[in-house]
Amino acid sequence: QVQLVESGGGVVQAGGSLRLSCAASGRTLSRYDMGWFRQAPGKEREFVAYISWNGGTTYYGNSVKGRFTISRDNAKNTVQLQMNSLKPEDTAVYYCAVRVQGSLVAGRSYDYWGQGTQVTVSS
């Protein structure tokens, strides 16, 4: 079984940047597609970004397209999310997870969720 730990969250002003990292233990991530999701208070979980096992394919939610970049380093067993031009509406807890089946954007397609990292963007 794989354990995921997110880090890199914090408080940033609107227009700023943060880089989130998802580190895995227990199993190599190199054979798995990965995703980032977020959940704001009172809102449903939202798909943010997807990356295929070899990094060859990426896909983004409409609200972050052009501002966020997902990447991975299979040698280090990590997945990153570079977030630029942050907006107050990006405030949420961000989670990484392993895609195990099905749709790229549906939370139900993912498993082995981390505990999340809080991102707060002030206006």
Side-chain angles (χ1 to χ4, degrees), residues 50-105:
Y50 158 89
I51 189 166
S52 60
W53 66 274
N54 63 353
T57 300
T58 58
Y59 188 75
Y60 298 91
N62 287 335
S63 61
V64 307
K65 202 172 298 183
R67 300 187 297 122
F68 290 13
T69 303
I70 189 171
S71 61
R72 67 191 300 159
D73 186 338
N74 284 341
K76 295 183 178 180
N77 226 23
T78 59
V79 178
Q80 292 77 37
L81 185 69
Q82 177 67 41
M83 307 186 296
N84 298 329
S85 302
L86 283 162
K87 305 175 181 180
E89 50 264 44
D90 294 318
T91 295
V93 178
Y94 283 71
Y95 301 88
C96 64
V98 176
R99 176 174 170 263
V100 294
Q101 61 179 0
S103 167
L104 303 182
V105 303

Side-chain angles (χ1 to χ4, degrees), residues 37 45 98 100-103 105-111 113:
F37 288 76
R45 183 172 54 194
V98 176
V100 294
Q101 61 179 0
S103 167
V105 303
R108 64 180 179 274
S109 299
Y110 292 77
D111 203 348
W113 297 82

